[in-house]
Amino acid sequence: LTASDPASSYTFTYDADGKPRWVTMTVQRQTAPSFAGHLDLTAGPPFSAAPFDPKLVTHTTVGNGTITFSDANNATFTYTVNGISQTKSLTRFQFATPAPVCTFNSALPPAQATNYQDMWAVPNLAEAGWGINFTHQGDLIFASWFTYDANGKALWVTATLTKTGARTFTGSLDVTTGPPFSAVPFDPSRVTHSNVGTATVTFTDGANGTFAYTLHGVSQTKAITRFVFSGAGTIFQ
């Protein structure tokens, strides 16, 4: 969840075959503290496409969702996807310390930020349709990259990136499979991880960087910047 008003949510889950699938939701504030919006499934050019043509990206509404916060660290996510309705309890994912503190419309210029937590994309949305989310805590970044496979279907890949130098984080890329999103109960013992490549993120400042990766033997480097979609954006410190 990228914090602002409206907010943006990215749901990383699995389809009926257990393959990775992601859906997005741009949510508007309802009666506090709830946000609601439509869930979209996206298709687009393969991650390896050069150039990546954003005109080939398509969006299909597959449901709707509501996120309601009980406090700053806990929430419920109620959704309907393809006619299946469920409610999940959510909490912040903390894997290192210190946890970042976010400020919306901060007086701090984004370029001066030293915490990189945010959704990032190619500058000027030149490759609109894919992006990468960084959860930055301490000297670790958990990266969740939403992109497309060789057939143009939604694919997400994750990485735990460790600080290896000034403003540089490196780690392995994993593809994950698991029970369908509709599974009741959801059995985490069926989740599998497969190493499919490596990634290095180098930040030139708090708002700009490069994302270099090798995925399934294909190597590319992308310029990236913070994705600000509402107001002055959120700065993490």
Side-chain angles (χ1 to χ4, degrees):
L1 181 68
T2 301
S4 67
D5 189 0
S8 182
S9 173
Y10 307 84
T11 304
F12 299 85
T13 185
Y14 309 96
D15 64 17
D17 297 323
K19 295 180 179 179
R21 181 175 76 166
W22 54 268
V23 292
T24 60
M25 181 171 64
T26 299
V27 292
Q28 297 286 340
R29 185 186 295 274
Q30 310 297 303
T31 302
S34 294
F35 295 78
H38 296 297
L39 286 161
D40 286 350
L41 181 64
T42 310
F47 73 91
S48 57
F52 181 95
D53 186 355
K55 295 190 297 295
L56 299 179
V57 175
T58 62
H59 302 269
T60 303
T61 297
V62 292
N64 55 75
T66 299
I67 301 173
T68 302
F69 293 90
S70 55
D71 56 39
N73 295 303
N74 298 279
T76 56
F77 178 33
T78 300
Y79 59 87
T80 299
V81 175
N82 293 332
I84 298 172
S85 298
Q86 292 182 322
T87 297
K88 302 285 188 179
S89 297
L90 304 178
T91 191
R92 287 186 186 271
F93 175 36
Q94 185 165 338
F95 54 90
T97 56
V101 176
C102 66
T103 304
F104 180 65
N105 197 12
S106 170
L108 179 72
Q112 294 181 18
T114 56
N115 186 285
Y116 307 113
Q117 182 154 316
D118 217 332
M119 177 59 63
W120 293 65
V122 172
N124 302 313
L125 292 181
E127 296 188 2
W130 75 268
I132 186 166
N133 185 70
F134 297 136
T135 302
H136 181 191
Q137 298 175 14
D139 286 340
L140 295 176
I141 289 178
F142 181 77
S144 44
W145 174 22
F146 64 95
T147 185
Y148 309 96
D149 65 16
N151 298 315
K153 293 184 178 180
L155 168 71
W156 56 269
V157 185
T158 62
T160 299
L161 306 175
T162 302
K163 189 173 184 179
T164 56
R167 297 181 179 270
T168 300
F169 297 78
T170 299
S172 298
L173 288 169
D174 285 349
V175 166
T176 310
T177 63
F181 75 93
S182 56
V184 180
F186 183 94
D187 183 359
S189 68
R190 293 174 53 196
V191 174
T192 65
H193 301 268
S194 299
N195 178 256
V196 290
T198 59
T200 296
V201 180
T202 303
F203 298 96
T204 53
D205 56 37
N208 300 280
T210 57
F211 173 40
Y213 59 85
T214 298
L215 176 60
H216 294 310
V218 177
S219 298
Q220 293 182 324
T221 299
K222 304 282 187 178
I224 53 174
T225 190
R226 290 184 187 267
F227 175 37
V228 178
F229 60 91
S230 176
T234 303
I235 299 300
F236 292 84
Q237 297 172 281

